[in-house]
Amino acid sequence: MKRLGIIYIILITSVLQTLAQVQVQSSIDSIQIWIGEQAHLTLDVSLKRGQHLVMPSFKPLEHITAGVEVLEATNADTTELDGGMVKVSKTYTLTSFDEKLYYLPPMKVKVDGKEYASKSLALKVMTMPADTLHPENFFPPKDVQDNPFSWSEWREVIVFSLLFIILLCGAAYLYNRLRKGKPVIKLPSRIIKKMLPHQKAMKAIEILKEEHLSSSENQKEYYTRLTDTLRVYLNERFGINAMEMTSEEIISRLQETGDKTMIDELRTLFTTADLVKFAKYSTLINENDANLVNAIAYINNTKEENQPQTVRVEPTISEEEKRTLRSRNILQISISLLVLFAVVALIYAVWQAWLLMM
């Protein structure tokens, strides 16, 4: 009997400890509301950390008691307490549409499968007093009215719409400037017909013959033009800088590879030309003709005909054209950026307007 009594005492003590550890409290923020108003019922459960808790759950518009609906419930919020305890809180939003004093039954929870209950509460639902003595003061329900227009709500839409218009006008202005400017395009290379050295020389000699300078008194001009024609030919044909060389230097350079007979004839021509230009030597007509024939014969004997008749000329861009190209590139980049920003502003304005009309 003594052992049995000890066991009962231990069981009763453990039960009392458990009851002391689990506490269920409920409160309501307002004990009376008008019809259709809302009240908030808060349920607090204190228990040991690690214990399994099940709190009441209601579907939307489910009645907690007849006449009182549960609109929504918040998620459980856990707060740490001392001594290994925690407090779990949950709030239920209630409403009612019937005038009455309601009895709210205790809220029941389960901790480790055991049921605990809070205290009961009361909720009074009231209606507005009506003046039944003056029915003329009652008015029928008003029609649905649109909300008044507010400039503050549409400020962003208006600002970004104006920004879109300004950016678009700026892009159009720059495009107009770009379109009126000179088009900057990559110029294609040109293929032109090339005149061979002997052809240039023979053409100059033909002009000299047509002017009949060999029979005129201006022999200095005749020999100057004839020797200059030969100097240009030697420069283009053999790469000799004959325009900067004396007659003796030219003959010495030609003796390295040229025909001795032809070089002797050229020596006679250049010597005669030097005498005419610098020593006022007078020549006979047949002597002038002989020198002209020797020049023609030398050109014909040394000409090289197997050369390309055309040459490719690559276009060149002046500094002014380069500056124009840079300016047009800057304009094109600016136009692209303005159009991009304008599109972004338009999209944002449309999005804000759509949100306001939802």
Side-chain angles (χ1 to χ4, degrees):
M1 292 296 292
K2 187 176 181 179
R3 288 182 178 177
L4 186 59
I6 293 173
I7 292 173
Y8 283 145
I9 292 172
I10 293 174
L11 289 175
I12 293 171
T13 303
S14 62
V15 170
L16 291 175
Q17 287 178 351
T18 303
L19 291 174
Q21 290 173 355
V22 178
Q23 295 182 2
V24 181
Q25 297 178 347
S26 61
S27 61
I28 193 166
D29 61 352
S30 179
I31 61 173
Q32 61 182 16
I33 59 173
W34 296 108
I35 286 180
E37 281 191 330
Q38 297 176 358
H40 298 89
L41 187 152
T42 302
L43 180 62
D44 297 325
V45 181
S46 299
L47 68 162
K48 294 183 70 173
R49 187 185 298 108
Q51 289 185 301
H52 180 65
L53 171 64
V54 178
M55 303 186 77
S57 177
F58 298 92
K59 296 179 180 179
L61 304 182
E62 183 179 352
H63 289 76
I64 190 172
T65 187
V68 179
E69 300 177 0
V70 179
L71 297 179
E72 62 179 357
T74 62
N75 295 325
D77 184 23
T78 303
T79 305
E80 297 286 340
L81 301 177
D82 296 333
M85 301 289 290
V86 295
K87 182 174 74 172
V88 181
S89 301
K90 195 169 185 178
T91 301
Y92 302 87
T93 302
L94 310 178
T95 190
S96 178
F97 298 94
D98 293 323
E99 181 184 13
K100 187 178 179 181
L101 178 61
Y102 291 97
Y103 167 76
L104 302 180
M107 303 287 285
K108 297 180 180 180
V109 301
K110 286 186 179 181
V111 179
D112 290 339
K114 189 171 182 179
E115 191 174 87
Y116 298 88
S118 68
K119 63 181 180 180
S120 60
L121 299 171
L123 177 64
K124 185 177 181 180
V125 179
M126 302 178 298
T127 58
M128 294 292 294
D131 186 2
T132 57
L133 298 177
H134 302 87
E136 69 277 2
N137 293 334
F138 288 91
F139 300 96
K142 295 182 178 180
D143 295 334
V144 177
Q145 297 181 352
D146 294 333
N147 291 328
F149 180 80
S150 176
W151 284 104
S152 60
E153 294 178 352
W154 290 83
R155 184 182 297 114
E156 290 189 358
V157 176
I158 296 171
V159 169
F160 278 90
S161 298
L162 291 176
L163 181 62
F164 165 73
I165 296 174
I166 293 172
L167 292 175
L168 202 61
C169 291
Y173 170 73
L174 294 180
Y175 175 75
N176 189 48
R177 285 190 56 188
L178 182 66
R179 187 173 59 84
K180 288 184 177 180
K182 293 182 178 180
V184 177
I185 59 174
K186 184 178 180 180
L187 299 176
S189 57
R190 294 179 299 150
I191 304 298
I192 61 173
K193 189 174 181 180
K194 178 182 177 182
M195 184 176 290
L196 299 178
H198 70 275
Q199 293 174 340
K200 289 183 181 180
M202 293 303 297
K203 184 176 181 180
I205 289 175
E206 288 297 326
I207 295 174
L208 192 62
K209 289 169 61 178
E210 290 175 359
E211 294 178 357
H212 303 288
L213 290 178
S214 61
S215 59
S216 68
E217 296 181 356
N218 194 357
Q219 296 180 356
K220 182 177 181 180
E221 180 183 357
Y222 170 74
Y223 277 100
T224 298
R225 290 175 60 178
L226 180 60
T227 53
D228 286 346
T229 300
L230 286 172
R231 290 173 186 271
V232 172
Y233 172 74
L234 293 174
N235 185 17
E236 295 180 353
R237 173 63 180 85
F238 299 104
I240 301 174
N241 190 14
M243 298 300 295
E244 305 296 331
M245 299 170 67
T246 63
S247 299
E248 288 298 325
E249 290 174 342
I250 295 173
I251 298 302
S252 298
R253 183 69 178 274
L254 292 176
Q255 283 179 341
E256 298 176 0
T257 56
D259 185 347
K260 186 177 183 305
T261 302
M262 297 300 301
I263 292 174
D264 288 341
E265 293 176 352
L266 280 183
R267 185 194 300 275
T268 302
L269 190 155
F270 278 107
T271 301
T272 304
D274 290 341
L275 291 173
V276 171
K277 289 188 290 184
F278 304 114
K280 297 183 180 180
Y281 176 74
S282 297
T283 59
L284 300 175
I285 295 177
N286 59 349
E287 187 176 3
N288 295 338
D289 292 338
N291 287 326
L292 182 64
V293 171
N294 290 336
I296 295 173
Y298 179 79
I299 293 172
N300 288 329
N301 289 332
T302 58
K303 67 182 178 180
E304 187 177 17
E305 295 182 307
N306 297 326
Q307 292 184 0
Q309 297 291 320
T310 58
V311 62
R312 181 183 296 273
V313 179
E314 297 295 337
T316 58
I317 301 178
S318 64
E319 288 299 324
E320 182 178 357
E321 290 175 331
K322 290 180 180 179
R323 288 193 297 271
T324 304
L325 178 60
R326 286 194 295 267
S327 299
R328 289 175 64 84
N329 289 336
I330 292 173
L331 283 177
Q332 291 173 349
I333 294 173
S334 301
I335 292 171
S336 301
L337 291 176
L338 288 176
V339 171
L340 176 62
F341 292 148
V343 171
V344 172
L346 177 62
I347 293 174
Y348 185 80
V350 171
W351 179 62
Q352 288 294 326
W354 180 78
L355 290 179
L356 290 172
M357 293 186 294
M358 287 295 291

